[in-house]
């Protein structure tokens, strides 16, 4: 009841609509309230930056709806946004449970969904209308574990993951990859997002004799554990999940706390590796008054691929679906193409902090060979 | 030494939780209704510190009285808008109105500060003192000291002052208090002010270390509610004891195999002494306590005469 009321208020306040009814319509359905609000806002802003700067000749109309945290709110938002039959594609929420609920509806309406959800199952259902522009756990966790073993030479890692679906799938992937590499975790723990005091985890990891932490946590928990390790003066190698690449997470920590901390991510726009990404960083920061993260860039690239398809003549949802499933697009973060299941992103990077600033450097690229 | 360090951490956490629980009990006693916005008011206290720090680059200790005053005024405003218009309605009306207040606060914080986690300034500083192997964080010690001072001051006000006696009389029986000439509505508004100010202070104390996001309120609400149920519905010492128990369980239970190494050899220890399992075990213990002492640890056994 509480979340429904909350969402109703926000839905009425937080929408943005452009006005030209005859143009192609792209609903942006993203979670901008609830526990995924930070990431959802990044997704929204990435999409909006692309939609407000379409290629020459492309006219596009868009509308932002908050999907909150529940699947039914996402399905209702989808029904509202696509009810008049003018939508050509949908920027779909990054929350896996919402995506799973949207899959059958998208199939029924034959509407392509462009998402950055990391949930593996969404591209395992044989649905031809789903396109994921963020590397899945198999890609990012592989980068995380390979970097930890090959570059940091870890021997006795601890795996700390969140208790939710996100944490469980990532934690299991890390454990699987470590096993494949012949490395036995010295300690494993799952943490609820409400856990504030990380001292029990630190104490147990210390007692287990770990030399490193492999984290797969949301931003708040990641910041808490990095801070706790720094406060305890431990020199453990920390290779985190993508949360450590988010500017909002890094803002919570002193640069000194971050010394030597690394983490996987799809991309690191704040590192401005290329002139194109530097331009994106400047445009995004000027427009939204905060720095972009990997989710912003991924959704920007996804929406840009959609707009490119429209510029190349896609006029219907079927045209867009065909263009996305068979085309290749060189985005800012990587080159995107479908693996036949709708997985479009096949690269990851590992970033590291030097302890002097909150801007990480890209330490390693992990790219799948482009076909 | 590890046990001492963990106990200190738990004490600091519990002291801040206790302020939330006391604020909850004060309003509960004054109105007879559960304030479901109490957790969101902790969140607002944290954001209040973040917002004030944007204008006044001073330490958290200087911001603390400002946060207390602002939150106290907010508490009185909540009394005026969400309690008094419904005070003659069934208790469910107050329950719904405080849920609505919580939703408004949560979404208001989201609109004003955004969804990102934020941290207000430290009360004193971020350094540590090391005493005989114990690491005493400046922030942690300041939190403990402020909480002890506040709880002590409240105890003094309630037991030694005319205002305290009036507040207690109002909490015990509003009709009789009114008949004795006590301005009951003023007392209730003041109680809202004090209760909400305590939650706001707890927010400022907790969120420098643990950060604050607009959705954090539910978690604090749950802790306050369990602390009060466990300690004894309406009991101030019970609320403090309940809050400390929660904190000690959160910190000590998952660490037991390290504190008492023989436990590490117990079959299933690695699954039993986890953060997740500790929540399950704690809630089971709460149920056991309520089974044998339905009035809670410090509550008085009461029965309604047929």
């Amino acid at each position: 009841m509480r979340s429904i009321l909350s969402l109703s208020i926000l839905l009425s306040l937080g929408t943005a609509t452009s006005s030209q009814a005859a143009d192609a319509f792209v609903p942006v359905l993203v979670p901008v309230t609830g526990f995924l609000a930070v990431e959802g806002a990044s997704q929204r802003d990435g999409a909006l930056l692309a939609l407000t700067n379409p290629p020459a000749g492309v006219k596009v109309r868009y509308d932002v709806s908050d999907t909150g945290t529940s699947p039914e709110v996402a399905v209702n938002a989808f029904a509202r946004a696509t009810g008049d039959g003018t939508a050509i594609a949908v920027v779909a929420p990054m929350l896996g449970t919402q995506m799973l609920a949207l899959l059958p509806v998208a199939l029924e309406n034959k509407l392509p969904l462009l998402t950055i959800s990391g949930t593996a199952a969404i591209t395992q259902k044989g649905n031809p209308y789903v396109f994921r522009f963020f590397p899945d756990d198999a890609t990012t966790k592989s980068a995380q574990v390979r970097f930890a073993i090959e570059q940091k030479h870890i021997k006795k890692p601890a795996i700390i993951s969140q208790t939710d679906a996100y944490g469980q799938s990532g934690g299991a992937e890390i454990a699987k990859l470590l096993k494949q590499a012949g490395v036995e975790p010295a300690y494993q723990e799952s943490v609820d997002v409400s856990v504030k005091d990380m001292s029990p985890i630190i104490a147990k990891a210390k007692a287990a004799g770990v030399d490193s932490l492999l984290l797969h946590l949301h931003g708040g928990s990641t910041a808490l554990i990095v801070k706790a390790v720094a406060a305890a003066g431990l020199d453990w190698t920390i290779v985190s999940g993508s949360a450590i690449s988010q500017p909002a997470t890094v803002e919570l920590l002193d640069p000194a706390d971050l010394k030597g901390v690394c983490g996987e991510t799809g991309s690191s726009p704040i590192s401005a590796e290329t002139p194109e990404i530097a331009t994106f960083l400047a445009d995004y920061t000027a427009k939204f008054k905060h720095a972009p993260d990997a989710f912003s860039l991924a959704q920007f690239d996804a929406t840009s691929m959609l707009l490119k398809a429209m510029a190349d003549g896609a006029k219907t949802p079927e045209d867009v679906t065909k263009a996305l499933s068979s085309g290749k697009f060189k985005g800012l973060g990587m080159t995107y193409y479908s693996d036949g299941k709708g997985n479009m992103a096949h690269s990851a990077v590992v970033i590291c902090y030097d302890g002097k600033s909150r801007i990480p450097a890209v330490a390693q690229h992990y790219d799948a060979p482009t076909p | 030494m590890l046990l001492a360090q963990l106990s200190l951490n738990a004490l600091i956490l519990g002291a801040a939780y206790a302020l939330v629980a006391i604020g909850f009990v004060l309003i509960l006693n004054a109105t007879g209704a559960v304030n479901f916005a109490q957790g969101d008011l902790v969140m607002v206290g944290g954001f209040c510190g973040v917002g004030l720090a944007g204008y006044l680059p001073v330490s958290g200790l200087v911001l603390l009285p400002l946060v207390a005053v602002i939150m106290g005024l907010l508490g009185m405003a909540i009394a005026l808008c969400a309690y008094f218009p419904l005070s003659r309605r069934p208790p469910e009306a107050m329950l719904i109105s405080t849920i609505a207040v919580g939703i408004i606060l949560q979404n208001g914080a989201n609109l004003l500060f955004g969804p990102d986690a934020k941290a207000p300034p430290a009360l004193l500083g971020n350094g540590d003192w090391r005493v005989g192997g114990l690491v005493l964080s400046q922030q942690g010690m300041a939190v403990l000291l402020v909480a002890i001072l506040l709880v002590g001051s409240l105890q003094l006000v309630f037991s030694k002052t005319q205002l305290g006696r009036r507040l207690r009389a109002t909490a015990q029986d509003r009709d009789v208090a009114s008949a004795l000439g006590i301005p009951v509505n003023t007392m209730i508004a003041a109680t809202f002010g004090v209760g909400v100010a305590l939650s706001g202070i707890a927010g400022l104390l907790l969120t420098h270390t643990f950060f604050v996001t607009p959705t954090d309120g539910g978690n604090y609400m749950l802790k306050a509610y369990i602390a009060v149920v466990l300690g004894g519905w309406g009991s101030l010492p019970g609320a403090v004891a309940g809050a400390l128990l929660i904190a000690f369980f959160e910190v000590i239970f998952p660490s037991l195999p390290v504190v008492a190494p023989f436990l590490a050899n117990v079959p299933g220890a690695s699954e039993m002494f986890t953060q997740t399992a500790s929540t399950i075990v704690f809630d089971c213990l709460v149920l056991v306590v309520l089974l044998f002492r339905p009035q809670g640890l410090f509550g008085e056994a009461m029965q309604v005469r047929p």
Side-chain angles (χ1 to χ4, degrees), chain A residues 132-173:
Chain A
R132 184 221 310 274
F133 285 79
F134 200 80
D136 62 6
D137 282 346
T139 308
T140 54
K141 295 300 108 183
S142 169
Q144 183 180 5
V145 171
R146 277 184 62 193
F147 183 82
I149 294 173
E150 294 166 8
Q151 307 296 322
K152 295 288 182 179
H153 310 294
I154 62 158
K155 299 275 188 263
K156 292 184 75 179
I159 304 173
I160 315 292
S161 56
Q162 219 83 69
T163 48
D164 58 12
Y166 161 83
Q168 284 184 22
S169 82
E173 191 68 30

Short mmCIF file of all heavy atoms in Angstrom, two decimals, chain A residues 132-173:
data_model
loop_
_atom_site.label_atom_id
_atom_site.label_comp_id
_atom_site.label_asym_id
_atom_site.label_seq_id
_atom_site.Cartn_x
_atom_site.Cartn_y
_atom_site.Cartn_z
N ARG A 132 19.45 -6.45 -24.27
CA ARG A 132 20.15 -6.03 -23.05
C ARG A 132 21.49 -5.39 -23.44
O ARG A 132 22.35 -6.03 -24.05
CB ARG A 132 20.41 -7.24 -22.16
CG ARG A 132 21.04 -6.91 -20.81
CD ARG A 132 22.11 -7.91 -20.41
NE ARG A 132 21.67 -9.29 -20.52
CZ ARG A 132 21.02 -9.94 -19.57
NH1 ARG A 132 20.73 -9.35 -18.45
NH2 ARG A 132 20.69 -11.20 -19.74
N PHE A 133 21.67 -4.13 -23.05
CA PHE A 133 22.86 -3.38 -23.45
C PHE A 133 23.88 -3.25 -22.33
O PHE A 133 24.75 -2.40 -22.39
CB PHE A 133 22.45 -1.99 -23.95
CG PHE A 133 21.84 -2.03 -25.32
CD1 PHE A 133 20.52 -2.41 -25.50
CD2 PHE A 133 22.59 -1.71 -26.44
CE1 PHE A 133 19.96 -2.46 -26.76
CE2 PHE A 133 22.03 -1.75 -27.71
CZ PHE A 133 20.71 -2.13 -27.88
N PHE A 134 23.72 -4.04 -21.29
CA PHE A 134 24.70 -4.02 -20.21
C PHE A 134 25.25 -5.44 -20.11
O PHE A 134 24.49 -6.40 -20.18
CB PHE A 134 24.05 -3.61 -18.89
CG PHE A 134 25.04 -3.10 -17.87
CD1 PHE A 134 25.51 -1.81 -17.95
CD2 PHE A 134 25.51 -3.92 -16.85
CE1 PHE A 134 26.43 -1.33 -17.03
CE2 PHE A 134 26.43 -3.44 -15.93
CZ PHE A 134 26.88 -2.14 -16.02
N PRO A 135 26.56 -5.59 -19.97
CA PRO A 135 27.09 -6.95 -19.89
C PRO A 135 26.46 -7.72 -18.73
O PRO A 135 26.27 -7.16 -17.65
CB PRO A 135 28.60 -6.74 -19.69
CG PRO A 135 28.75 -5.31 -19.27
CD PRO A 135 27.61 -4.57 -19.83
N ASP A 136 26.14 -8.98 -18.98
CA ASP A 136 25.52 -9.78 -17.92
C ASP A 136 26.59 -10.24 -16.92
O ASP A 136 27.78 -9.99 -17.10
CB ASP A 136 24.73 -10.96 -18.50
CG ASP A 136 25.63 -11.92 -19.26
OD1 ASP A 136 26.86 -11.74 -19.25
OD2 ASP A 136 25.08 -12.86 -19.86
N ASP A 137 26.12 -10.92 -15.89
CA ASP A 137 27.03 -11.35 -14.82
C ASP A 137 28.18 -12.20 -15.36
O ASP A 137 29.31 -12.11 -14.87
CB ASP A 137 26.26 -12.15 -13.76
CG ASP A 137 25.46 -11.24 -12.84
OD1 ASP A 137 25.72 -10.03 -12.86
OD2 ASP A 137 24.59 -11.75 -12.11
N ALA A 138 27.87 -13.04 -16.35
CA ALA A 138 28.91 -13.93 -16.87
C ALA A 138 30.10 -13.11 -17.40
O ALA A 138 31.26 -13.49 -17.20
CB ALA A 138 28.34 -14.81 -17.96
N THR A 139 29.80 -11.98 -18.03
CA THR A 139 30.87 -11.14 -18.60
C THR A 139 31.57 -10.32 -17.51
O THR A 139 32.81 -10.31 -17.43
CB THR A 139 30.27 -10.17 -19.64
OG1 THR A 139 29.51 -10.94 -20.58
CG2 THR A 139 31.34 -9.38 -20.36
N THR A 140 30.77 -9.65 -16.67
CA THR A 140 31.39 -8.74 -15.69
C THR A 140 32.09 -9.50 -14.56
O THR A 140 33.17 -9.10 -14.12
CB THR A 140 30.34 -7.79 -15.08
OG1 THR A 140 29.28 -8.57 -14.53
CG2 THR A 140 29.78 -6.83 -16.10
N LYS A 141 31.46 -10.57 -14.12
CA LYS A 141 32.10 -11.34 -13.02
C LYS A 141 33.38 -12.03 -13.51
O LYS A 141 34.33 -12.20 -12.75
CB LYS A 141 31.12 -12.36 -12.44
CG LYS A 141 29.89 -11.77 -11.77
CD LYS A 141 30.23 -10.89 -10.60
CE LYS A 141 30.00 -9.44 -10.90
NZ LYS A 141 30.38 -8.53 -9.81
N SER A 142 33.36 -12.42 -14.79
CA SER A 142 34.56 -13.01 -15.35
C SER A 142 35.70 -11.99 -15.33
O SER A 142 36.84 -12.32 -14.96
CB SER A 142 34.26 -13.47 -16.79
OG SER A 142 35.45 -13.80 -17.43
N ALA A 143 35.37 -10.75 -15.70
CA ALA A 143 36.39 -9.69 -15.67
C ALA A 143 36.89 -9.48 -14.23
O ALA A 143 38.09 -9.35 -13.99
CB ALA A 143 35.80 -8.39 -16.22
N GLN A 144 35.95 -9.46 -13.29
CA GLN A 144 36.31 -9.22 -11.88
C GLN A 144 37.24 -10.32 -11.36
O GLN A 144 38.28 -10.04 -10.75
CB GLN A 144 35.02 -9.18 -11.05
CG GLN A 144 35.23 -8.88 -9.57
CD GLN A 144 33.90 -8.84 -8.80
OE1 GLN A 144 32.84 -9.13 -9.35
NE2 GLN A 144 33.96 -8.49 -7.53
N VAL A 145 36.85 -11.57 -11.61
CA VAL A 145 37.63 -12.69 -11.07
C VAL A 145 38.98 -12.82 -11.80
O VAL A 145 40.02 -13.03 -11.17
CB VAL A 145 36.80 -14.00 -11.17
CG1 VAL A 145 37.66 -15.22 -10.84
CG2 VAL A 145 35.60 -13.93 -10.23
N ARG A 146 38.95 -12.66 -13.13
CA ARG A 146 40.22 -12.74 -13.88
C ARG A 146 41.20 -11.67 -13.42
O ARG A 146 42.38 -11.93 -13.21
CB ARG A 146 39.94 -12.57 -15.38
CG ARG A 146 39.51 -13.85 -16.06
CD ARG A 146 39.35 -13.67 -17.55
NE ARG A 146 40.60 -13.29 -18.21
CZ ARG A 146 40.66 -12.83 -19.45
NH1 ARG A 146 39.57 -12.69 -20.18
NH2 ARG A 146 41.82 -12.52 -19.98
N PHE A 147 40.69 -10.46 -13.22
CA PHE A 147 41.57 -9.37 -12.79
C PHE A 147 42.16 -9.68 -11.40
O PHE A 147 43.35 -9.50 -11.17
CB PHE A 147 40.79 -8.05 -12.75
CG PHE A 147 41.64 -6.86 -12.39
CD1 PHE A 147 42.41 -6.22 -13.34
CD2 PHE A 147 41.68 -6.39 -11.08
CE1 PHE A 147 43.21 -5.14 -13.00
CE2 PHE A 147 42.47 -5.31 -10.74
CZ PHE A 147 43.23 -4.67 -11.70
N ALA A 148 41.30 -10.16 -10.52
CA ALA A 148 41.75 -10.45 -9.16
C ALA A 148 42.84 -11.53 -9.17
O ALA A 148 43.84 -11.42 -8.45
CB ALA A 148 40.58 -10.89 -8.30
N ILE A 149 42.64 -12.55 -9.99
CA ILE A 149 43.61 -13.67 -10.01
C ILE A 149 44.85 -13.31 -10.83
O ILE A 149 45.99 -13.50 -10.37
CB ILE A 149 42.93 -14.94 -10.57
CG1 ILE A 149 41.83 -15.43 -9.61
CG2 ILE A 149 43.96 -16.05 -10.80
CD1 ILE A 149 40.99 -16.56 -10.13
N GLU A 150 44.62 -12.77 -12.04
CA GLU A 150 45.76 -12.56 -12.95
C GLU A 150 46.58 -11.32 -12.61
O GLU A 150 47.80 -11.32 -12.75
CB GLU A 150 45.24 -12.46 -14.40
CG GLU A 150 44.64 -13.76 -14.91
CD GLU A 150 43.84 -13.58 -16.19
OE1 GLU A 150 43.88 -12.47 -16.78
OE2 GLU A 150 43.16 -14.54 -16.60
N GLN A 151 45.91 -10.26 -12.20
CA GLN A 151 46.63 -9.01 -11.95
C GLN A 151 46.98 -8.81 -10.48
O GLN A 151 47.99 -8.22 -10.14
CB GLN A 151 45.81 -7.80 -12.43
CG GLN A 151 45.35 -7.89 -13.87
CD GLN A 151 46.51 -7.91 -14.85
OE1 GLN A 151 47.51 -7.22 -14.66
NE2 GLN A 151 46.41 -8.73 -15.89
N LYS A 152 46.07 -9.23 -9.60
CA LYS A 152 46.30 -9.00 -8.16
C LYS A 152 46.81 -10.25 -7.44
O LYS A 152 47.13 -10.18 -6.25
CB LYS A 152 45.00 -8.51 -7.49
CG LYS A 152 44.52 -7.15 -7.99
CD LYS A 152 45.43 -6.06 -7.47
CE LYS A 152 44.96 -4.68 -7.91
NZ LYS A 152 45.83 -3.62 -7.39
N HIS A 153 46.82 -11.36 -8.14
CA HIS A 153 47.39 -12.62 -7.62
C HIS A 153 46.78 -13.02 -6.27
O HIS A 153 47.50 -13.38 -5.33
CB HIS A 153 48.92 -12.50 -7.50
CG HIS A 153 49.54 -11.98 -8.77
ND1 HIS A 153 49.52 -12.69 -9.96
CD2 HIS A 153 50.14 -10.80 -9.06
CE1 HIS A 153 50.11 -11.98 -10.90
NE2 HIS A 153 50.48 -10.82 -10.40
N ILE A 154 45.50 -12.93 -6.16
CA ILE A 154 44.84 -13.30 -4.90
C ILE A 154 44.91 -14.82 -4.70
O ILE A 154 44.92 -15.58 -5.66
CB ILE A 154 43.37 -12.84 -4.87
CG1 ILE A 154 42.56 -13.50 -5.99
CG2 ILE A 154 43.26 -11.34 -4.95
CD1 ILE A 154 41.09 -13.53 -5.74
N LYS A 155 44.95 -15.22 -3.44
CA LYS A 155 45.03 -16.66 -3.11
C LYS A 155 43.88 -17.09 -2.20
O LYS A 155 43.36 -18.19 -2.33
CB LYS A 155 46.36 -16.95 -2.38
CG LYS A 155 47.61 -16.62 -3.20
CD LYS A 155 47.99 -17.77 -4.12
CE LYS A 155 49.33 -17.53 -4.80
NZ LYS A 155 49.18 -16.98 -6.14
N LYS A 156 43.52 -16.21 -1.26
CA LYS A 156 42.47 -16.59 -0.29
C LYS A 156 41.39 -15.50 -0.25
O LYS A 156 41.37 -14.68 0.67
CB LYS A 156 43.09 -16.79 1.10
CG LYS A 156 44.02 -18.00 1.19
CD LYS A 156 44.52 -18.19 2.61
CE LYS A 156 43.44 -18.78 3.51
NZ LYS A 156 43.92 -19.01 4.88
N PRO A 157 40.53 -15.50 -1.24
CA PRO A 157 39.53 -14.43 -1.29
C PRO A 157 38.31 -14.69 -0.40
O PRO A 157 38.01 -15.84 -0.08
CB PRO A 157 39.10 -14.43 -2.76
CG PRO A 157 39.27 -15.85 -3.19
CD PRO A 157 40.44 -16.40 -2.41
N ALA A 158 37.65 -13.62 -0.02
CA ALA A 158 36.31 -13.71 0.59
C ALA A 158 35.32 -13.20 -0.45
O ALA A 158 35.61 -12.23 -1.14
CB ALA A 158 36.25 -12.86 1.84
N ILE A 159 34.18 -13.87 -0.54
CA ILE A 159 33.12 -13.38 -1.44
C ILE A 159 32.03 -12.77 -0.56
O ILE A 159 31.43 -13.46 0.26
CB ILE A 159 32.50 -14.53 -2.27
CG1 ILE A 159 33.58 -15.28 -3.05
CG2 ILE A 159 31.43 -13.99 -3.21
CD1 ILE A 159 33.04 -16.52 -3.76
N ILE A 160 31.80 -11.48 -0.74
CA ILE A 160 30.74 -10.81 0.03
C ILE A 160 29.70 -10.32 -0.97
O ILE A 160 30.00 -9.47 -1.82
CB ILE A 160 31.28 -9.60 0.83
CG1 ILE A 160 32.60 -9.94 1.55
CG2 ILE A 160 30.24 -9.07 1.80
CD1 ILE A 160 32.50 -10.92 2.66
N SER A 161 28.50 -10.86 -0.86
CA SER A 161 27.45 -10.47 -1.81
C SER A 161 26.19 -10.06 -1.06
O SER A 161 26.05 -10.33 0.13
CB SER A 161 27.15 -11.62 -2.77
OG SER A 161 26.81 -12.77 -2.04
N GLN A 162 25.28 -9.44 -1.78
CA GLN A 162 24.02 -9.03 -1.17
C GLN A 162 23.06 -10.22 -1.12
O GLN A 162 23.23 -11.18 -1.89
CB GLN A 162 23.41 -7.92 -2.05
CG GLN A 162 22.75 -6.81 -1.29
CD GLN A 162 23.69 -5.74 -0.79
OE1 GLN A 162 24.24 -5.01 -1.56
NE2 GLN A 162 23.84 -5.63 0.52
N THR A 163 22.07 -10.16 -0.24
CA THR A 163 21.17 -11.31 -0.09
C THR A 163 20.08 -11.34 -1.17
O THR A 163 19.40 -12.34 -1.31
CB THR A 163 20.46 -11.29 1.28
OG1 THR A 163 19.94 -9.97 1.49
CG2 THR A 163 21.39 -11.67 2.40
N ASP A 164 19.91 -10.25 -1.90
CA ASP A 164 18.81 -10.21 -2.88
C ASP A 164 19.19 -10.96 -4.16
O ASP A 164 20.28 -11.54 -4.27
CB ASP A 164 18.40 -8.75 -3.17
CG ASP A 164 19.55 -7.92 -3.70
OD1 ASP A 164 20.59 -8.50 -4.05
OD2 ASP A 164 19.40 -6.69 -3.75
N ALA A 165 18.27 -10.96 -5.13
CA ALA A 165 18.48 -11.72 -6.36
C ALA A 165 19.74 -11.26 -7.07
O ALA A 165 20.52 -12.07 -7.58
CB ALA A 165 17.26 -11.57 -7.27
N TYR A 166 19.97 -9.95 -7.08
CA TYR A 166 21.16 -9.38 -7.71
C TYR A 166 22.41 -9.98 -7.07
O TYR A 166 23.33 -10.46 -7.75
CB TYR A 166 21.12 -7.86 -7.54
CG TYR A 166 22.45 -7.16 -7.71
CD1 TYR A 166 22.92 -6.84 -8.97
CD2 TYR A 166 23.23 -6.81 -6.60
CE1 TYR A 166 24.14 -6.21 -9.14
CE2 TYR A 166 24.44 -6.17 -6.76
CZ TYR A 166 24.89 -5.87 -8.02
OH TYR A 166 26.09 -5.24 -8.17
N GLY A 167 22.42 -9.97 -5.75
CA GLY A 167 23.60 -10.43 -5.03
C GLY A 167 23.81 -11.92 -5.16
O GLY A 167 24.94 -12.39 -5.32
N GLN A 168 22.70 -12.67 -5.11
CA GLN A 168 22.83 -14.13 -5.17
C GLN A 168 23.37 -14.58 -6.52
O GLN A 168 24.24 -15.46 -6.60
CB GLN A 168 21.47 -14.76 -4.90
CG GLN A 168 21.11 -14.73 -3.43
CD GLN A 168 19.81 -15.46 -3.14
OE1 GLN A 168 19.37 -16.30 -3.89
NE2 GLN A 168 19.18 -15.10 -2.03
N SER A 169 22.85 -13.97 -7.61
CA SER A 169 23.31 -14.43 -8.92
C SER A 169 24.77 -14.04 -9.14
O SER A 169 25.56 -14.85 -9.61
CB SER A 169 22.40 -13.89 -10.04
OG SER A 169 22.74 -12.58 -10.38
N GLY A 170 25.15 -12.84 -8.75
CA GLY A 170 26.54 -12.41 -8.91
C GLY A 170 27.49 -13.20 -8.01
O GLY A 170 28.58 -13.61 -8.44
N GLY A 171 27.06 -13.42 -6.76
CA GLY A 171 27.90 -14.16 -5.82
C GLY A 171 28.14 -15.59 -6.30
O GLY A 171 29.27 -16.11 -6.22
N ALA A 172 27.07 -16.21 -6.83
CA ALA A 172 27.20 -17.59 -7.33
C ALA A 172 28.13 -17.63 -8.54
O ALA A 172 28.94 -18.56 -8.69
CB ALA A 172 25.83 -18.13 -7.71
N GLU A 173 28.06 -16.61 -9.37
CA GLU A 173 28.92 -16.55 -10.56
C GLU A 173 30.39 -16.41 -10.15
O GLU A 173 31.27 -17.08 -10.71
CB GLU A 173 28.49 -15.35 -11.43
CG GLU A 173 29.10 -15.33 -12.82
CD GLU A 173 28.62 -16.43 -13.74
OE1 GLU A 173 27.46 -16.88 -13.58
OE2 GLU A 173 29.41 -16.87 -14.59
#
